[in-house]
Amino acid sequence: MKQFTCGDVVAGCSRTFVAADSDALLTQVTGHARSDHGLADVPAELVGQVLLAIREAA
Ligand SMILES: [Zn+2]
């Protein structure tokens, strides 16, 4: 399982996501970025930061 904490990229956000793999995680995170951070499009740079911040979940 993969885990991503949004606060690692967006200061002040406490949402954490867990998914089976990075692709599924990215789908959740981009949806969250749209609805909660007002990003209509997630820039490639931000996707890169998200990928770097993904950790293995226990
Ligand atoms: Zn967030």
Side-chain angles (χ1 to χ4, degrees):
M1 298 289 281
K2 303 285 187 183
Q3 181 178 321
F4 170 73
T5 300
C6 192
D8 287 349
V9 173
V10 181
C13 185
S14 59
R15 287 286 300 274
T16 297
F17 304 88
V18 178
D21 55 41
S22 297
D23 281 350
L25 197 55
L26 212 49
T27 301
Q28 290 184 33
V29 172
T30 52
H32 163 67
R34 262 188 215 107
S35 58
D36 295 327
H37 293 302
L39 293 174
D41 274 315
V42 181
E45 186 189 337
L46 185 56
V47 172
Q49 289 180 7
V50 170
L51 290 172
L52 285 174
I54 289 175
R55 308 271 178 244
E56 288 294 330

